[in-house]
């Protein structure tokens, strides 16, 4: 199918073919495919595809800017609302990953530990996670839970605006099932990117990005369209209540009685030739 689409000069076919090679860890053709994809950048290439490649951050920002214009074509801001000065600050968390997903695993305790005297917490789940093991805990951790998977972008933006959200935190960026078109409608006066996409979105409707000095070293501000807010230690939280199963017997896993075990449980598209080379250098330095 990709071959036929390439003959039709479809840029999305190049992107799909590049992703297929990534998922198969078939690296031989990837440098040439990546060059071809970047050559079509002006037509609007999904920046999430480029995130796992050795693409300079400034170019990743430009890819987001170009793709953002394509995604947000024709959108209009949702009707403005009057912002009150009394009461708690209303924070909304927007995500397609409030389900069996790493983002839900990481963010659960954050939602639970907000100061409820100062903040009113809303959550907008744009993908149905009602059957996931995380759902009861996540829904109980916020005051207002919106199952927004049946809403189109316009209705999603209007719902967020109607809830009077002061600060909208997007947990997905350009990842799968993103809500960038709804965010482009400016449903909240302050819009923040955090956790799911540790790079610049490249778009003007995201005001801030929450990172740390490792993910965003001092001096990299020009690589971001957002203003960087650096958390002092690490931008990624971890749930201290996450259950940890008992370790299996080494023999049952086919392992020798002793020795360090190196493992990677990430999606194959995150295993690049550069990552592989780094692993081999580590292994060569270990007795």
């Amino acid at each position: 199918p990709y071959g036929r689409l390439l003959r039709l000069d479809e840029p999305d076919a190049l992107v799909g073919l590049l992703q297929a090679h990534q998922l198969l860890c078939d690296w031989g053709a990837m440098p040439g495919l990546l060059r071809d994809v970047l050559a079509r950048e002006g037509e609007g290439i999904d920046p999430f595809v480029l995130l796992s490649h050795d693409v300079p951050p400034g170019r990743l920002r430009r890819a987001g800017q170009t793709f953002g214009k394509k995604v947000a074509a024709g959108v209009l801001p949702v009707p403005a609302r009057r912002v009150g000065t009394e009461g708690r600050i209303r924070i909304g968390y927007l995500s397609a990953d409030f389900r069996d997903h790493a983002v839900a695993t990481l963010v659960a305790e954050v939602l639970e530990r907000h100061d409820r005297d100062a903040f009113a917490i809303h959550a907008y789940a744009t993908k149905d996670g009602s059957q996931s093991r995380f759902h009861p805990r996540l829904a109980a951790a916020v005051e207002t839970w919106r199952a927004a998977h049946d809403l189109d972008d316009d209705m999603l933006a209007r719902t967020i605006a109607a809830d009077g959200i002061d600060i909208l935190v997007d947990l997905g960026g350009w990842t799968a099932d993103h809500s960038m078109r709804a965010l482009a409608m400016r449903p909240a006066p302050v819009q923040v990117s955090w956790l799911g996409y540790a790079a610049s979105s490249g778009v003007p409707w995201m005001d801030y990005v929450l990172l740390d000095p490792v993910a965003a070293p001092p001096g990299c501000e020009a690589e971001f369209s957002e203003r960087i807010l650096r958390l002092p230690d690490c931008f990624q939280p971890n749930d201290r209540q996450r259950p940890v199963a008992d370790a299996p017997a080494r023999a049952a896993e086919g392992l020798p009685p002793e020795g360090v075990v190196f493992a990677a449980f990430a999606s194959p598209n995150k295993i690049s030739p550069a990552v592989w080379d780094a692993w081999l250098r580590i292994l060569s330095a270990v007795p």
Side-chain angles (χ1 to χ4, degrees), residues 27 262 271-286:
W27 298 329
F262 293 90
I271 304 174
S272 67
V275 170
W276 185 261
D277 288 344
W279 288 349
L280 293 181
R281 289 197 303 274
I282 294 169
L283 287 172
S284 69
V286 174

Side-chain angles (χ1 to χ4, degrees), residues 88-274:
R88 297 176 297 166
I89 295 172
R90 289 155 292 193
I91 300 178
Y93 287 92
L94 173 64
S95 181
D97 299 323
F98 288 138
R99 49 193 175 91
D100 291 333
H101 190 279
V103 167
T105 303
L106 298 174
V107 82
E109 193 174 0
V110 173
L111 299 179
E112 293 170 338
R113 291 181 61 82
H114 273 294
D115 179 356
R116 297 307 171 82
D117 292 331
F119 304 100
I121 308 302
H122 295 59
Y124 302 88
T126 59
K127 195 164 186 175
D128 186 14
S130 58
Q131 301 304 310
S132 80
R133 66 186 188 277
F134 288 104
H135 179 74
R137 184 178 175 191
L138 293 170
V142 300
E143 293 176 49
T144 303
W145 178 271
R146 302 288 190 206
H149 55 276
D150 288 332
L151 302 182
D152 63 18
D153 293 315
D154 183 69
M155 283 304 302
L156 174 61
R158 289 177 181 274
T159 299
I160 294 168
D163 285 339
I165 297 301
D166 299 301
I167 302 172
L168 182 59
V169 183
D170 174 43
L171 300 177
W174 284 119
T175 58
D177 303 303
H178 63 78
S179 296
M180 280 295 190
R181 189 172 175 84
L183 287 159
M185 299 177 192
R186 272 289 180 179
V190 177
Q191 300 190 161
V192 182
S193 175
W194 177 50
L195 193 59
Y197 189 80
S200 176
S201 65
V203 296
W205 56 82
M206 299 307 299
D207 305 301
Y208 299 93
V209 58
L210 282 177
L211 290 169
D212 58 42
V214 175
C220 73
E221 284 74 11
E223 298 166 358
F224 286 80
S225 55
E226 308 88 345
R227 180 180 175 184
I228 302 171
L229 300 179
R230 292 182 179 87
L231 296 175
D233 298 310
C234 181
F235 82 96
Q236 178 181 298
N238 276 279
D239 179 16
R240 295 173 298 176
Q241 302 175 40
R242 184 180 181 186
V244 178
D246 294 332
R250 295 174 69 100
E253 301 301 319
L255 297 170
E258 297 180 352
V260 175
V261 178
F262 293 90
F265 302 109
S267 172
N269 68 306
K270 298 180 181 180
I271 304 174
S272 67

Side-chain angles (χ1 to χ4, degrees), residues 40-115:
R40 308 295 290 267
E41 184 183 322
E43 300 173 47
I45 298 297
D46 186 345
F48 185 43
V49 176
L50 305 177
L51 195 59
S52 56
H53 293 277
D54 189 17
V55 176
R59 188 158 193 179
L60 193 63
R61 171 187 172 173
R62 292 197 303 272
Q65 181 182 27
T66 303
F67 195 63
K69 291 177 181 177
K70 181 178 178 180
V71 167
V75 304
L76 297 173
V78 293
R81 61 174 181 82
R82 185 172 61 85
V83 180
T85 57
E86 299 178 358
R88 297 176 297 166
I89 295 172
R90 289 155 292 193
I91 300 178
Y93 287 92
L94 173 64
S95 181
D97 299 323
F98 288 138
R99 49 193 175 91
D100 291 333
H101 190 279
V103 167
T105 303
L106 298 174
V107 82
E109 193 174 0
V110 173
L111 299 179
E112 293 170 338
R113 291 181 61 82
H114 273 294
D115 179 356

